């Protein structure tokens, strides 16, 4: 049986050093894909935007700068509150987002209870997938 750990929250899209706008999002983790986390923005719109990246990257980014290229994550303080920044880059554009470190940490702790670090390979069911693929 697979478990899904989700959390809806508002994060801030940083438009300039003095201007942000709140964006509804959903954090998702599925034990069927134990290495990945998913964040979906504009969850109430007709065309939500989703990003998937390594759970380890998000965990590391809560404590120190992490990531290269398309996804970078780091902790900081904004307006007196601890936040985690996520810089996302794609051919369609770039976004800088700030989320409550407390909210992200609480959600990540729930994912760690679902699948402990180091036990991810046990959840992949590679033998089952190979049997299905090979028709055995």
């Amino acid at each position: 049986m697979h478990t899904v750990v989700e959390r809806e929250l508002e994060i801030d899209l940083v438009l300039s050093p003095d201007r942000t706008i709140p964006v509804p999002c959903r954090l998702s983790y599925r034990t069927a894909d134990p290495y990945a986390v998913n964040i979906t923005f504009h969850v109430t719109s007709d065309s939500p935007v989703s990003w998937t990246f390594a759970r380890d990257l998000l965990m590391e980014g809560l404590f120190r700068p992490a990531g290269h290229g398309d996804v970078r994550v780091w902790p900081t303080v904004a307006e007196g509150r601890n936040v985690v920044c996520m810089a996302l880059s794609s051919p369609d554009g770039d976004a800088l987002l700030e989320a409550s470190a407390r909210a992200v940490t609480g959600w990540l702790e729930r994912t760690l209870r679902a699948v402990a670090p180091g036990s991810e390979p046990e959840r992949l069911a590679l033998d089952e997938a190979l049997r299905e693929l090979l028709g055995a």
Side-chain angles (χ1 to χ4, degrees), residues 2-3 29-37 52 55 120 123-124:
H2 296 292
T3 301
Y29 177 77
R30 290 170 170 65
T31 58
D33 189 4
Y35 290 105
V37 296
T52 301
R55 179 173 70 162
E120 295 93 347
R123 297 292 187 136
L124 290 178

Side-chain angles (χ1 to χ4, degrees), residues 43-124:
V43 291
T44 57
S45 74
D46 291 336
S47 54
V49 175
S50 291
W51 280 77
T52 301
F53 52 92
R55 179 173 70 162
D56 286 348
L57 172 65
L58 187 56
M59 284 190 300
E60 184 178 348
L62 286 170
F63 301 100
R64 64 188 144 276
H68 305 284
D70 295 345
V71 179
R72 292 176 291 123
V73 183
W74 66 93
T76 193
V77 176
E79 298 179 11
R81 63 188 182 102
N82 292 326
V83 298
V84 59
C85 291
M86 292 175 274
L88 307 175
S89 298
S90 79
D92 295 326
D94 301 326
L96 176 58
L97 304 145
E98 291 178 349
S100 161
R102 178 186 293 180
V104 173
T105 299
W107 173 76
L108 272 172
E109 286 173 353
R110 290 175 47 215
T111 74
L112 295 172
R113 284 192 295 273
V115 177
S119 69
E120 295 93 347
E122 299 163 17
R123 297 292 187 136
L124 290 178

